[in-house]
Amino acid sequence: LCEACAAQKGIDVHAEPMDLSGMMESMKAQLAQLKESPPPRSSGPTACPGCGLTRTEILKKGRLGCDRCYEVFAAEMLPVVVSVQHGDQHLGKVPRRASERIKTSVELARLRRELDQAVAGENDESAARLRDQIRLLSGAGGAR
Amino acid sequence: MSPPKVSSRGRPAGTASVCRDITLSSRVRLARNLHGIPFPDRATSAVRAEVRKQGMDAARTELPLQEALADSTPLFRQQLFEDHLISRNLLEGHPESGVCMNAEHTRAVMINEEDHLRIQVLRTGFQIREAWEAVDQLDSILEKKLEYAFSPELGYLTACPTNVGTAIRVSAMLHLPGLVLAEQVNQIIQAVNKLGLAVRGFYGEGTEALGNVFQVSNQMTLGETENDIVERLTKVLAQLIEHEKNARAMLLEKQPKMVYNHIGRAYGILANAHSISSKETMNLLSLMRLGMDLELFPGVEHSLVNELFIITQPGHLQKQISEKLSAEERDLLRADMLRDRLQQVSRPRVPTPGAGGAPLDKPSPA
């Protein structure tokens, strides 16, 4: 199961091989580094108004306290999240009760990624179809 | 029944079917949190109790068996853990944790684990896609009554940032005695890690591969669709199964005596021991299962070993006699049970050298 065979079998091999059992460790190391560095210049709130968790506690534990923490500490957390993930945009399921705006924005992100893949694979027909879909949806939803 | 037919290369004729039981089970779990409510570790016990109530209410029609963990006996909790229905985290976690299950124990929701809800579906064998479809459906039913924490960019928000996005973990339990005996398993694990998947032991994170059973799962959850993740895992698992088949064929070709020796000894101990630990039992049952895959135990169903795998574990063992036992007492009881259940199983029928099979092991190159 070498990378070449995997690629041949159509298994997506990440450009940068990483030991994923060490994913948590790598995240913790990054958080520890952040702890050493001064707070971001914006010097936003030091504690989350949703749950009271402080920046220091988050950096220490590597866990967030509530959904609002993700907004409050976005400046610190986003780069860390993205570094241990496959991308920076959710492309999966959306709750049915989410607003149309949210549904459209995730759908557009999904189509844009498909478009990138179609372009990379020089699949002109799909690319054209996807561009149409994106144009239609952007117009209708007005998102982004 | 006649002994298994042997090909000219000393392999049982039925080798093609050995892959049928390499994947023991498939599981998909989704992490979900409720909007605007602190995650379990950050919530007060009153809030956790309220989350449990809401979760149980939402799941009631689909999962009518509901337990507040604090109200159940330690033995019952241990069985749920051994059945992979609840995690060690839940077992040792908040007093306000709970679990909702269906009668068949194939679908469950853990409440107040690391996240408010951990929704999961278990299936036997290689049924990852089916498990994903079932858990997706269960999640859609729950979300009718619950408002989830969700962001258009980061998807479902979870206590640990490594789970955000789809918050999905797709996993399969693989029985890989061939790769272990051929000493190729570490190499394979490293290759699988590089493909963005994790390989863990029998009880998940931080556990050892008891009984040569390995859990393979996705690690990344953001930036791909659930379908992409399911597809990738499916492809890698198919490859792993192929490698296990090849390892078994290679072992039978080059070191048949070594393989038969392991299986024969495993049978001997399991069928005759008077005291045996849970760990030794699992490791030996794995070899016996390999013997069944290789058709050395004609007429014996895999279900026997599957059942023994479960009922010889500490929690299930004590359930049989409804009392708590010391480790020594459990080892005696386990051995009694194994001798009893294996009474009807004849010793492995290994191809005889006269028939062109079971030749001596080939000397390994120096």
Side-chain angles (χ1 to χ4, degrees):
Chain A
L1 196 71
C2 70
E3 287 173 48
C5 302
Q8 206 176 20
K9 301 258 175 193
I11 299 168
D12 183 15
V13 182
H14 303 297
E16 197 160 316
M18 56 189 293
D19 172 15
L20 283 143
S21 55
M23 193 157 132
M24 275 304 291
E25 281 66 37
S26 115
M27 194 187 77
K28 282 195 177 137
Q30 289 189 55
L31 289 171
Q33 235 174 16
L34 276 174
K35 211 162 81 179
E36 301 300 315
S37 64
R41 48 187 167 49
S42 63
S43 65
T46 49
C48 170
C51 66
L53 196 66
T54 64
R55 181 177 181 272
T56 322
E57 283 174 295
I58 289 188
L59 298 180
K60 198 167 107 192
K61 287 189 196 155
R63 295 276 194 283
L64 291 96
C66 70
D67 47 355
R68 285 189 70 185
C69 288
Y70 278 97
E71 292 166 39
V72 177
F73 302 110
E76 287 105 330
M77 291 312 298
L78 284 184
V80 180
V81 169
V82 169
S83 73
V84 295
Q85 291 285 1
H86 202 76
D88 60 358
Q89 170 62 50
H90 177 60
L91 299 173
K93 188 172 179 175
V94 176
R96 241 171 257 179
R97 60 166 76 195
S99 67
E100 283 309 312
R101 188 186 60 80
I102 289 180
K103 285 178 184 160
T104 308
S105 80
V106 175
E107 181 58 23
L108 274 172
R110 211 160 17 210
L111 291 170
R112 286 195 184 106
R113 194 200 51 165
E114 278 179 45
L115 175 61
D116 290 345
Q117 287 170 341
V119 171
E122 295 182 8
N123 190 340
D124 297 341
E125 209 175 301
S126 297
R129 181 178 49 79
L130 287 160
R131 279 196 196 93
D132 287 346
Q133 273 181 287
I134 291 169
R135 207 168 297 132
L136 200 70
L137 203 59
S138 323
R144 294 203 192 171
Chain B
M1 186 176 278
S2 61
K5 291 197 186 88
V6 170
S7 75
S8 59
R9 295 169 72 200
R11 278 154 56 173
T15 316
S17 63
V18 298
C19 67
R20 67 181 169 220
D21 286 304
I22 292 173
T23 314
L24 304 182
S25 63
S26 307
R27 171 166 51 167
V28 181
R29 77 104 175 100
L30 302 174
R32 297 289 186 255
N33 286 286
L34 305 187
H35 171 65
I37 298 176
F39 301 147
D41 283 352
R42 196 66 200 159
T44 61
S45 80
V47 168
R48 283 194 297 264
E50 175 57 25
V51 167
R52 183 173 66 190
K53 185 182 170 297
Q54 285 191 29
M56 285 183 164
D57 286 348
R60 194 158 328 263
T61 49
E62 290 297 311
L63 309 172
L65 301 181
Q66 308 197 330
E67 289 279 338
L69 279 223
D71 297 345
S72 58
T73 65
L75 201 55
F76 182 71
R77 294 200 289 267
Q78 175 70 22
Q79 285 161 34
L80 293 180
F81 173 69
E82 288 170 6
D83 284 345
H84 298 276
L85 277 172
I86 65 172
S87 62
R88 189 175 290 287
N89 245 343
L90 195 80
L91 201 65
E92 296 165 356
H94 302 295
E96 304 80 16
S97 60
V99 61
C100 309
M101 303 159 284
N102 63 342
E104 297 78 24
H105 284 198
T106 53
R107 299 187 296 157
V109 177
M110 287 187 266
I111 306 179
N112 288 326
E113 212 244 26
E114 183 182 289
D115 296 297
H116 291 144
L117 305 178
R118 289 277 174 106
I119 309 165
Q120 57 176 357
V121 168
L122 296 134
R123 286 273 185 278
T124 56
F126 196 166
Q127 296 197 69
I128 287 178
R129 174 148 294 286
E130 292 80 356
W132 152 238
E133 284 164 4
V135 83
D136 180 29
Q137 201 179 14
L138 180 56
D139 173 59
S140 296
I141 291 169
L142 295 176
E143 69 160 308
K144 282 182 191 162
K145 294 186 181 146
L146 302 168
E147 188 180 353
Y148 290 150
F150 183 85
S151 130
E153 292 81 29
L154 292 177
Y156 294 94
L157 301 174
T158 52
C160 183
T162 55
N163 290 327
V164 292
T166 52
I168 195 173
R169 174 139 304 152
V170 185
S171 64
M173 291 281 191
L174 297 186
H175 183 226
L176 305 176
L179 287 170
V180 173
L181 287 177
E183 295 174 5
Q184 292 172 4
V185 82
N186 288 332
Q187 201 186 328
I188 295 278
I189 288 175
Q190 281 175 16
V192 172
N193 282 337
K194 282 188 182 174
L195 296 173
L197 302 172
V199 184
R200 300 190 172 92
F202 189 65
Y203 285 118
E205 214 161 327
T207 64
E208 58 181 321
L210 288 172
N212 302 319
V213 175
F214 295 83
Q215 191 192 92
V216 183
S217 63
N218 69 301
Q219 280 286 74
M220 287 185 251
T221 49
L222 178 68
E224 289 177 291
T225 66
E226 290 86 353
N227 276 322
D228 292 339
I229 294 168
V230 167
E231 284 308 311
R232 156 129 29 80
L233 197 77
T234 303
K235 282 180 185 163
V236 173
L237 287 175
Q239 283 275 290
L240 278 170
I241 291 168
E242 207 49 43
H243 279 276
E244 170 66 17
K245 278 158 66 179
N246 291 342
R248 291 180 186 189
M250 189 270 288
L251 284 169
L252 283 180
E253 169 107 3
K254 296 200 172 142
Q255 297 172 277
K257 278 289 178 199
M258 186 269 276
V259 176
Y260 297 144
N261 186 40
H262 274 295
I263 295 169
R265 282 166 170 268
Y267 167 82
I269 294 171
L270 289 169
N272 296 290
H274 283 260
S275 171
I276 188 166
S277 72
S278 155
K279 188 171 162 180
E280 185 179 11
T281 304
M282 286 177 80
N283 289 332
L284 297 179
L285 281 172
S286 157
L287 292 164
M288 220 181 128
R289 192 187 168 94
L290 174 64
M292 289 182 178
D293 290 347
L294 299 177
E295 299 173 5
L296 304 186
F297 294 98
V300 182
E301 297 291 327
H302 276 75
S303 56
L304 174 72
V305 169
N306 293 350
E307 193 193 348
L308 289 174
F309 230 91
I310 293 169
I311 64 173
T312 54
Q313 288 178 52
H316 280 271
L317 197 67
Q318 294 169 92
K319 178 181 159 195
Q320 327 265 320
I321 55 161
S322 347
E323 62 179 284
K324 191 137 178 66
L325 302 169
S326 68
E328 291 76 20
E329 289 171 319
R330 288 202 299 266
D331 291 353
L332 297 178
L333 180 66
R334 182 178 296 114
D336 289 348
M337 192 187 290
L338 284 164
R339 283 200 319 281
D340 179 56
R341 301 303 288 272
L342 294 176
Q343 225 171 29
Q344 307 303 323
V345 177
S346 309
R347 63 197 180 91
R349 294 187 186 219
V350 171
T352 52
L360 295 177
D361 289 358
K362 291 181 183 161
S364 55

Short mmCIF file of all heavy atoms in Angstrom, two decimals, chain B residues 49-92:
data_model
loop_
_atom_site.label_atom_id
_atom_site.label_comp_id
_atom_site.label_asym_id
_atom_site.label_seq_id
_atom_site.Cartn_x
_atom_site.Cartn_y
_atom_site.Cartn_z
N ALA B 49 -27.61 18.02 32.78
CA ALA B 49 -28.83 17.24 33.02
C ALA B 49 -29.92 17.67 32.03
O ALA B 49 -30.66 16.83 31.50
CB ALA B 49 -29.31 17.43 34.46
N GLU B 50 -29.99 18.96 31.73
CA GLU B 50 -30.99 19.47 30.79
C GLU B 50 -30.68 18.97 29.36
O GLU B 50 -31.58 18.59 28.62
CB GLU B 50 -31.02 21.01 30.86
CG GLU B 50 -31.93 21.70 29.85
CD GLU B 50 -33.40 21.25 29.90
OE1 GLU B 50 -33.84 20.79 30.98
OE2 GLU B 50 -34.08 21.34 28.85
N VAL B 51 -29.40 18.98 29.02
CA VAL B 51 -28.99 18.48 27.70
C VAL B 51 -29.37 17.00 27.57
O VAL B 51 -29.89 16.56 26.54
CB VAL B 51 -27.46 18.65 27.49
CG1 VAL B 51 -26.98 17.87 26.28
CG2 VAL B 51 -27.10 20.13 27.34
N ARG B 52 -29.15 16.26 28.65
CA ARG B 52 -29.48 14.83 28.61
C ARG B 52 -30.99 14.65 28.39
O ARG B 52 -31.42 13.81 27.61
CB ARG B 52 -29.05 14.14 29.90
CG ARG B 52 -29.30 12.63 29.87
CD ARG B 52 -28.72 11.93 31.06
NE ARG B 52 -29.38 12.33 32.30
CZ ARG B 52 -28.95 12.02 33.52
NH1 ARG B 52 -27.84 11.33 33.66
NH2 ARG B 52 -29.60 12.42 34.59
N LYS B 53 -31.75 15.47 29.07
CA LYS B 53 -33.20 15.37 28.92
C LYS B 53 -33.61 15.67 27.48
O LYS B 53 -34.37 14.91 26.87
CB LYS B 53 -33.88 16.36 29.89
CG LYS B 53 -35.38 16.25 29.90
CD LYS B 53 -36.03 17.26 30.83
CE LYS B 53 -37.54 17.28 30.63
NZ LYS B 53 -37.92 17.71 29.27
N GLN B 54 -33.07 16.76 26.94
CA GLN B 54 -33.42 17.13 25.56
C GLN B 54 -32.99 16.05 24.57
O GLN B 54 -33.73 15.72 23.64
CB GLN B 54 -32.73 18.44 25.19
CG GLN B 54 -33.37 19.66 25.82
CD GLN B 54 -32.81 20.95 25.21
OE1 GLN B 54 -32.41 20.98 24.06
NE2 GLN B 54 -32.79 22.01 26.01
N GLY B 55 -31.79 15.54 24.77
CA GLY B 55 -31.27 14.50 23.87
C GLY B 55 -32.13 13.25 23.93
O GLY B 55 -32.49 12.67 22.90
N MET B 56 -32.48 12.84 25.15
CA MET B 56 -33.28 11.63 25.31
C MET B 56 -34.67 11.82 24.70
O MET B 56 -35.19 10.91 24.04
CB MET B 56 -33.39 11.24 26.78
CG MET B 56 -32.10 10.61 27.31
SD MET B 56 -32.26 10.08 29.02
CE MET B 56 -30.84 8.98 29.18
N ASP B 57 -35.25 13.00 24.91
CA ASP B 57 -36.58 13.27 24.33
C ASP B 57 -36.53 13.17 22.81
O ASP B 57 -37.40 12.57 22.18
CB ASP B 57 -37.08 14.66 24.75
CG ASP B 57 -37.53 14.68 26.20
OD1 ASP B 57 -37.67 13.58 26.79
OD2 ASP B 57 -37.73 15.78 26.76
N ALA B 58 -35.49 13.79 22.23
CA ALA B 58 -35.39 13.82 20.77
C ALA B 58 -35.19 12.41 20.21
O ALA B 58 -35.64 12.10 19.11
CB ALA B 58 -34.24 14.72 20.33
N ALA B 59 -34.52 11.54 20.98
CA ALA B 59 -34.17 10.21 20.47
C ALA B 59 -35.20 9.14 20.82
O ALA B 59 -35.13 8.02 20.33
CB ALA B 59 -32.80 9.79 21.01
N ARG B 60 -36.19 9.52 21.65
CA ARG B 60 -37.05 8.50 22.25
C ARG B 60 -37.71 7.53 21.27
O ARG B 60 -37.68 6.32 21.46
CB ARG B 60 -38.11 9.14 23.16
CG ARG B 60 -38.78 8.09 24.05
CD ARG B 60 -39.44 8.65 25.30
NE ARG B 60 -38.85 9.81 25.89
CZ ARG B 60 -37.99 9.80 26.92
NH1 ARG B 60 -37.59 8.65 27.42
NH2 ARG B 60 -37.54 10.91 27.42
N THR B 61 -38.27 8.05 20.18
CA THR B 61 -39.01 7.15 19.28
C THR B 61 -38.06 6.19 18.56
O THR B 61 -38.38 5.03 18.35
CB THR B 61 -39.81 7.93 18.23
OG1 THR B 61 -38.95 8.90 17.65
CG2 THR B 61 -41.02 8.60 18.83
N GLU B 62 -36.87 6.70 18.19
CA GLU B 62 -35.93 5.87 17.45
C GLU B 62 -35.14 4.94 18.37
O GLU B 62 -34.84 3.81 18.01
CB GLU B 62 -34.93 6.77 16.69
CG GLU B 62 -35.55 7.53 15.55
CD GLU B 62 -36.07 6.60 14.47
OE1 GLU B 62 -35.31 5.70 14.07
OE2 GLU B 62 -37.22 6.78 14.04
N LEU B 63 -34.78 5.45 19.54
CA LEU B 63 -33.91 4.71 20.45
C LEU B 63 -34.57 4.63 21.82
O LEU B 63 -34.25 5.40 22.73
CB LEU B 63 -32.54 5.41 20.55
CG LEU B 63 -31.85 5.74 19.22
CD1 LEU B 63 -30.62 6.59 19.44
CD2 LEU B 63 -31.48 4.47 18.47
N PRO B 64 -35.49 3.70 21.98
CA PRO B 64 -36.29 3.69 23.20
C PRO B 64 -35.56 3.19 24.45
O PRO B 64 -36.03 3.44 25.55
CB PRO B 64 -37.45 2.75 22.84
CG PRO B 64 -36.97 1.93 21.70
CD PRO B 64 -35.93 2.71 20.99
N LEU B 65 -34.45 2.49 24.29
CA LEU B 65 -33.73 2.05 25.49
C LEU B 65 -32.82 3.18 25.95
O LEU B 65 -31.86 3.52 25.27
CB LEU B 65 -32.88 0.81 25.19
CG LEU B 65 -33.61 -0.41 24.66
CD1 LEU B 65 -32.63 -1.56 24.45
CD2 LEU B 65 -34.71 -0.84 25.62
N GLN B 66 -33.17 3.77 27.08
CA GLN B 66 -32.43 4.95 27.52
C GLN B 66 -31.96 4.77 28.95
O GLN B 66 -32.73 4.37 29.82
CB GLN B 66 -33.30 6.19 27.37
CG GLN B 66 -33.89 6.31 25.96
CD GLN B 66 -34.39 7.69 25.64
OE1 GLN B 66 -34.82 8.41 26.52
NE2 GLN B 66 -34.34 8.06 24.37
N GLU B 67 -30.68 5.09 29.17
CA GLU B 67 -30.11 4.90 30.50
C GLU B 67 -29.36 6.16 30.92
O GLU B 67 -28.55 6.68 30.15
CB GLU B 67 -29.07 3.76 30.46
CG GLU B 67 -29.64 2.38 30.30
CD GLU B 67 -30.14 1.79 31.61
OE1 GLU B 67 -29.69 2.25 32.69
OE2 GLU B 67 -30.98 0.88 31.55
N ALA B 68 -29.63 6.61 32.13
CA ALA B 68 -28.76 7.59 32.74
C ALA B 68 -27.62 6.76 33.33
O ALA B 68 -27.87 5.86 34.12
CB ALA B 68 -29.50 8.35 33.82
N LEU B 69 -26.40 7.03 32.91
CA LEU B 69 -25.32 6.13 33.31
C LEU B 69 -25.16 6.01 34.83
O LEU B 69 -24.86 4.95 35.35
CB LEU B 69 -23.99 6.57 32.69
CG LEU B 69 -23.73 6.15 31.24
CD1 LEU B 69 -22.31 5.66 31.08
CD2 LEU B 69 -24.70 5.14 30.70
N ALA B 70 -25.40 7.12 35.52
CA ALA B 70 -25.23 7.10 36.97
C ALA B 70 -26.23 6.14 37.64
O ALA B 70 -25.96 5.62 38.72
CB ALA B 70 -25.39 8.50 37.53
N ASP B 71 -27.37 5.91 36.97
CA ASP B 71 -28.38 5.04 37.57
C ASP B 71 -28.18 3.56 37.21
O ASP B 71 -28.89 2.70 37.72
CB ASP B 71 -29.79 5.43 37.06
CG ASP B 71 -30.14 6.84 37.48
OD1 ASP B 71 -29.45 7.36 38.38
OD2 ASP B 71 -31.09 7.41 36.90
N SER B 72 -27.25 3.28 36.32
CA SER B 72 -27.08 1.89 35.91
C SER B 72 -25.93 1.26 36.70
O SER B 72 -25.08 1.96 37.25
CB SER B 72 -26.82 1.80 34.41
OG SER B 72 -25.67 2.56 34.10
N THR B 73 -25.90 -0.06 36.72
CA THR B 73 -24.87 -0.73 37.51
C THR B 73 -23.53 -0.69 36.77
O THR B 73 -23.50 -0.62 35.53
CB THR B 73 -25.23 -2.22 37.72
OG1 THR B 73 -25.23 -2.85 36.44
CG2 THR B 73 -26.58 -2.37 38.38
N PRO B 74 -22.43 -0.73 37.51
CA PRO B 74 -21.11 -0.72 36.87
C PRO B 74 -20.97 -1.87 35.88
O PRO B 74 -20.37 -1.73 34.81
CB PRO B 74 -20.14 -0.91 38.03
CG PRO B 74 -20.87 -0.48 39.25
CD PRO B 74 -22.33 -0.74 38.99
N LEU B 75 -21.60 -3.00 36.20
CA LEU B 75 -21.51 -4.17 35.33
C LEU B 75 -22.20 -3.91 33.98
O LEU B 75 -21.67 -4.24 32.93
CB LEU B 75 -22.20 -5.35 36.04
CG LEU B 75 -21.81 -6.74 35.58
CD1 LEU B 75 -20.31 -6.93 35.65
CD2 LEU B 75 -22.50 -7.80 36.44
N PHE B 76 -23.37 -3.28 34.05
CA PHE B 76 -24.12 -2.96 32.84
C PHE B 76 -23.31 -1.98 31.98
O PHE B 76 -23.21 -2.12 30.76
CB PHE B 76 -25.48 -2.35 33.21
CG PHE B 76 -26.33 -2.03 32.03
CD1 PHE B 76 -26.91 -3.04 31.28
CD2 PHE B 76 -26.56 -0.71 31.64
CE1 PHE B 76 -27.70 -2.75 30.17
CE2 PHE B 76 -27.34 -0.41 30.54
CZ PHE B 76 -27.92 -1.43 29.81
N ARG B 77 -22.72 -1.00 32.65
CA ARG B 77 -21.92 -0.01 31.92
C ARG B 77 -20.74 -0.70 31.23
O ARG B 77 -20.41 -0.39 30.09
CB ARG B 77 -21.40 1.06 32.88
CG ARG B 77 -22.50 1.91 33.48
CD ARG B 77 -21.95 3.22 34.00
NE ARG B 77 -21.13 3.08 35.20
CZ ARG B 77 -21.61 3.20 36.44
NH1 ARG B 77 -22.90 3.46 36.63
NH2 ARG B 77 -20.83 3.07 37.48
N GLN B 78 -20.12 -1.63 31.94
CA GLN B 78 -18.98 -2.36 31.39
C GLN B 78 -19.39 -3.14 30.14
O GLN B 78 -18.67 -3.17 29.14
CB GLN B 78 -18.41 -3.29 32.47
CG GLN B 78 -17.29 -4.21 32.01
CD GLN B 78 -15.98 -3.47 31.73
OE1 GLN B 78 -15.78 -2.37 32.23
NE2 GLN B 78 -15.12 -4.04 30.90
N GLN B 79 -20.58 -3.74 30.18
CA GLN B 79 -21.05 -4.49 29.00
C GLN B 79 -21.26 -3.58 27.80
O GLN B 79 -20.92 -3.92 26.68
CB GLN B 79 -22.38 -5.17 29.29
CG GLN B 79 -22.29 -6.39 30.16
CD GLN B 79 -23.66 -6.69 30.75
OE1 GLN B 79 -24.68 -6.45 30.12
NE2 GLN B 79 -23.68 -7.17 31.97
N LEU B 80 -21.84 -2.40 28.07
CA LEU B 80 -22.07 -1.45 26.97
C LEU B 80 -20.74 -1.04 26.35
O LEU B 80 -20.61 -0.89 25.13
CB LEU B 80 -22.81 -0.20 27.47
CG LEU B 80 -24.24 -0.40 27.93
CD1 LEU B 80 -24.82 0.92 28.40
CD2 LEU B 80 -25.11 -0.98 26.82
N PHE B 81 -19.73 -0.90 27.21
CA PHE B 81 -18.40 -0.55 26.72
C PHE B 81 -17.83 -1.70 25.88
O PHE B 81 -17.30 -1.49 24.79
CB PHE B 81 -17.49 -0.24 27.92
CG PHE B 81 -16.05 -0.05 27.55
CD1 PHE B 81 -15.65 1.06 26.81
CD2 PHE B 81 -15.09 -0.97 27.93
CE1 PHE B 81 -14.33 1.25 26.46
CE2 PHE B 81 -13.75 -0.79 27.57
CZ PHE B 81 -13.37 0.32 26.83
N GLU B 82 -17.97 -2.92 26.37
CA GLU B 82 -17.46 -4.08 25.63
C GLU B 82 -18.19 -4.26 24.30
O GLU B 82 -17.63 -4.78 23.34
CB GLU B 82 -17.57 -5.36 26.49
CG GLU B 82 -16.56 -5.36 27.63
CD GLU B 82 -16.78 -6.48 28.65
OE1 GLU B 82 -17.66 -7.33 28.42
OE2 GLU B 82 -16.06 -6.48 29.66
N ASP B 83 -19.44 -3.81 24.25
CA ASP B 83 -20.21 -3.88 23.00
C ASP B 83 -19.90 -2.71 22.07
O ASP B 83 -20.53 -2.57 21.03
CB ASP B 83 -21.72 -3.86 23.30
CG ASP B 83 -22.21 -5.20 23.82
OD1 ASP B 83 -21.47 -6.19 23.68
OD2 ASP B 83 -23.32 -5.26 24.38
N HIS B 84 -18.96 -1.85 22.48
CA HIS B 84 -18.59 -0.67 21.71
C HIS B 84 -19.74 0.33 21.55
O HIS B 84 -19.76 1.13 20.63
CB HIS B 84 -18.06 -1.05 20.32
CG HIS B 84 -16.82 -1.89 20.39
ND1 HIS B 84 -15.56 -1.35 20.52
CD2 HIS B 84 -16.64 -3.22 20.41
CE1 HIS B 84 -14.67 -2.32 20.60
NE2 HIS B 84 -15.31 -3.47 20.54
N LEU B 85 -20.72 0.25 22.44
CA LEU B 85 -21.85 1.18 22.36
C LEU B 85 -21.52 2.48 23.09
O LEU B 85 -22.04 3.54 22.75
CB LEU B 85 -23.10 0.57 23.00
CG LEU B 85 -23.89 -0.35 22.09
CD1 LEU B 85 -24.97 -1.05 22.88
CD2 LEU B 85 -24.50 0.41 20.93
N ILE B 86 -20.68 2.38 24.11
CA ILE B 86 -20.24 3.60 24.78
C ILE B 86 -18.72 3.60 24.88
O ILE B 86 -18.09 2.55 24.82
CB ILE B 86 -20.87 3.77 26.19
CG1 ILE B 86 -20.39 2.67 27.15
CG2 ILE B 86 -22.39 3.79 26.13
CD1 ILE B 86 -20.82 2.90 28.58
N SER B 87 -18.16 4.79 25.01
CA SER B 87 -16.70 4.92 25.05
C SER B 87 -16.21 4.94 26.49
O SER B 87 -16.99 5.10 27.41
CB SER B 87 -16.31 6.23 24.38
OG SER B 87 -16.89 7.29 25.12
N ARG B 88 -14.89 4.78 26.64
CA ARG B 88 -14.33 4.85 27.98
C ARG B 88 -14.58 6.24 28.58
O ARG B 88 -14.83 6.39 29.77
CB ARG B 88 -12.83 4.54 27.95
CG ARG B 88 -12.22 4.39 29.33
CD ARG B 88 -10.77 3.96 29.28
NE ARG B 88 -10.55 2.59 28.84
CZ ARG B 88 -10.83 1.51 29.58
NH1 ARG B 88 -11.34 1.66 30.78
NH2 ARG B 88 -10.60 0.31 29.12
N ASN B 89 -14.50 7.25 27.69
CA ASN B 89 -14.77 8.63 28.12
C ASN B 89 -16.13 8.78 28.80
O ASN B 89 -16.27 9.45 29.80
CB ASN B 89 -14.80 9.51 26.87
CG ASN B 89 -13.68 10.51 26.88
OD1 ASN B 89 -13.08 10.76 27.93
ND2 ASN B 89 -13.41 11.08 25.72
N LEU B 90 -17.13 8.15 28.21
CA LEU B 90 -18.48 8.25 28.75
C LEU B 90 -18.56 7.46 30.06
O LEU B 90 -19.17 7.89 31.04
CB LEU B 90 -19.51 7.72 27.76
CG LEU B 90 -20.95 8.13 28.09
CD1 LEU B 90 -21.21 9.55 27.63
CD2 LEU B 90 -21.96 7.20 27.45
N LEU B 91 -17.90 6.30 30.04
CA LEU B 91 -17.89 5.40 31.19
C LEU B 91 -17.33 6.10 32.42
O LEU B 91 -17.82 5.93 33.53
CB LEU B 91 -17.00 4.20 30.81
CG LEU B 91 -17.14 2.90 31.54
CD1 LEU B 91 -18.51 2.31 31.26
CD2 LEU B 91 -16.07 1.92 31.06
N GLU B 92 -16.27 6.89 32.20
CA GLU B 92 -15.58 7.50 33.33
C GLU B 92 -15.89 8.98 33.46
O GLU B 92 -15.28 9.68 34.25
CB GLU B 92 -14.06 7.31 33.15
CG GLU B 92 -13.67 5.84 33.19
CD GLU B 92 -12.26 5.59 32.67
OE1 GLU B 92 -11.62 6.54 32.19
OE2 GLU B 92 -11.82 4.43 32.74
#
